[in-house]
C-alpha cells in the first residue's frame, strides 16, 4: 500500500515562494501520472497541477505561470515549486495518483499572508 507524505508548507508573504514535496513509500510511483490538489477552509478540494509519467505537465489556470510541478523517480517524489504566491493560494496541499487514488496523506498547510 502506497503512503504519501506531503511537506514543505509554511507561512509566506505575498510574492514569496515555497517548494512542496510529496514522498511516496511502499511502491514506486514512477509509472503513474500524479496530481497536486489544494483545499481551502470550507471549500472543496481543487486540482492544481498534473505531471504524467512521460510528457508535459498541466496546470489550473489560477496557478499557470507561477507553479511548476516536477518529479524525481529515483527519489519516488513529486514536487511543486510555487512562486509569486498570493493570499488565495492559502490551502492545505495534497498529492495523489490521477486514476485510482492512493489513501490521502495528511497534506501540508500553505498560508500566504502579510
Amino acid at each position: 500500500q502506497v503512503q504519501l507524505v506531503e511537506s514543505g508548507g509554511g507561512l509566506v508573504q505575498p510574492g514569496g515562494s515555497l517548494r512542496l514535496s510529496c514522498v511516496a513509500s511502499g511502491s514506486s510511483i514512477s509509472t503513474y501520472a500524479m496530481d497536486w490538489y489544494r483545499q481551502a477552509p470550507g471549500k472543496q478540494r481543487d486540482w492544481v497541477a498534473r505531471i504524467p509519467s512521460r510528457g508535459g505537465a498541466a496546470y489550473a489556470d489560477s496557478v499557470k505561470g507561477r507553479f511548476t510541478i516536477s518529479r524525481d523517480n529515483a527519489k519516488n517524489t513529486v514536487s511543486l515549486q510555487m512562486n509569486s504566491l498570493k493570499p488565495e493560494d492559502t490551502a492545505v496541499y495534497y498529492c495523489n495518483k490521477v486514476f485510482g487514488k492512493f489513501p490521502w496523506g495528511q497534506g501540508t498547510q500553505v498560508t500566504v499572508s502579510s
Side-chain angles (χ1 to χ4, degrees), residues 29-52:
I29 60 170
S30 64
T31 59
Y32 298 126
M34 297 292 293
D35 283 338
W36 278 97
Y37 300 85
R38 65 187 181 187
Q39 187 167 20
K43 296 187 177 181
Q44 66 181 15
R45 189 171 294 171
D46 290 331
W47 173 74
V48 174
R50 173 170 297 171
I51 187 164

Side-chain angles (χ1 to χ4, degrees), residues 12-16 38 61-64 66-67 83-91 93 110-113:
V12 63
Q13 293 185 343
R38 65 187 181 187
D61 287 344
S62 58
V63 307
K64 200 172 294 183
R66 300 187 298 121
F67 290 11
N83 299 328
S84 302
L85 283 161
K86 304 175 181 180
E88 52 262 44
D89 295 320
T90 294
Y93 284 71
V110 171
T111 303
V112 185
S113 174

Side-chain angles (χ1 to χ4, degrees), residues 1-15:
Q1 181 76 307
V2 172
Q3 291 185 318
L4 301 169
V5 178
E6 299 91 351
S7 64
L11 173 63
V12 63
Q13 293 185 343

